[in-house]
Amino acid sequence: MDEAALREQLATLGASLFQRGYSVGTAGNISVRLADGYLMTPTNSCLGRLDPARISKLAPDWSHIGGDKPSKEVFMHRAVLTARPDAGAVVHLHSTYATAIGCLAEAGDTAPIPPLTPYFVMRVGRTLPVIRYYRPGDGAMESDIHEAAKGAKAVLLANHGPVVSGKTLEDAVHAAEELEEAARLALLLRNAGARALTPAQVDDLLATFG
Ligand code: 13P
């Protein structure tokens, strides 16, 4: 997909996430890897009303070279995209249920959401490392996220929200949606003694779809 098409897709998927309540106000940001740099949602922009022409462009060295001023979370996106060379996009949301889990889980936990359903395992994987709280935009979060993202498609920022990668922008959006759904189920079934998938069932899913 060329840059113009990716800009259009970013605006379309951002609007879809916003309309379905995955982000509110100006929360959340999205990045896409290009052959010659990165696209990034502008800071203080609403995912529901992105103008494709004004989406920020960053050079391969992450300097701002076009469009509006990029998200304050450039460090967060850089942490994941440099840790995962096969990732083509990163979606960061403050989606309600995943963020709620991020307010309950302890930093350092690697499985704050149990593997209740196959699609959570297939899209997000075996681990979801919880990163300690950092102020939004704090560059100090970069190394923690970078280390955790080497072994995980997604991480959960304590008291903040999920950061989800995918091979393509569509993959990253789908994974972010599955993560939110799994978080919702986990909270719905909290303390209900729900049956999770067994380690063998998780292994089978990852061997088949991973
Ligand atoms: P930006 O508006 O700078 O992208 O920040 C929004 C956000 O989600 C902070 O975590």
Side-chain angles (χ1 to χ4, degrees):
M1 217 183 266
D2 67 14
E3 181 179 327
L6 282 168
R7 285 176 177 271
E8 292 289 339
Q9 189 187 41
L10 212 164
T12 301
L13 291 175
S16 169
L17 287 168
F18 182 80
Q19 282 155 11
R20 290 177 295 139
Y22 286 86
S23 83
V24 298
T26 63
N29 31 71
I30 302 176
S31 62
V32 180
R33 193 194 299 275
L34 300 173
D36 63 346
Y38 305 91
L39 293 176
M40 175 92 45
T41 50
T43 191
N44 297 324
S45 60
C46 170
L47 292 189
R49 291 186 286 278
L50 292 169
D51 177 348
R54 292 177 61 179
I55 290 171
S56 317
K57 184 161 182 183
L58 308 183
D61 69 358
W62 296 88
S63 57
H64 179 209
I65 54 170
D68 289 350
K69 186 180 174 200
S71 170
K72 69 173 79 66
E73 304 290 22
V74 169
F75 302 111
M76 174 201 291
H77 291 258
R78 183 168 75 178
V80 177
L81 288 168
T82 56
R84 302 186 69 77
D86 63 344
V90 173
V91 173
H92 165 56
L93 299 172
H94 301 169
S95 51
T96 309
Y97 292 89
T99 303
I101 298 267
C103 296
L104 291 165
E106 295 297 332
D109 190 349
T110 55
I113 299 175
L116 291 166
T117 62
Y119 267 70
F120 173 59
V121 175
M122 288 156 57
R123 299 282 186 239
V124 177
R126 201 187 299 272
T127 57
L128 177 67
V130 180
I131 308 293
R132 78 158 173 87
Y133 174 77
Y134 288 95
R135 172 174 39 77
D138 184 350
M141 74 177 81
E142 183 166 359
S143 60
D144 269 8
I145 297 176
H146 182 80
E147 284 312 305
K150 286 178 184 170
K153 282 184 190 162
V155 302
L156 186 58
L157 308 181
N159 298 75
H160 186 168
V163 184
V164 185
S165 69
K167 282 202 170 64
T168 64
L169 176 56
E170 229 180 358
D171 283 347
V173 168
H174 290 162
E177 292 174 359
E178 289 295 344
L179 173 46
E180 179 64 4
E181 201 59 23
R184 188 172 174 183
L185 278 176
L187 287 171
L188 193 66
L189 295 169
R190 203 162 173 240
N191 306 322
R195 178 183 56 256
L197 299 177
T198 65
Q201 288 167 334
V202 170
D203 288 347
D204 170 60
L205 285 166
L206 294 175
T208 308
F209 301 106

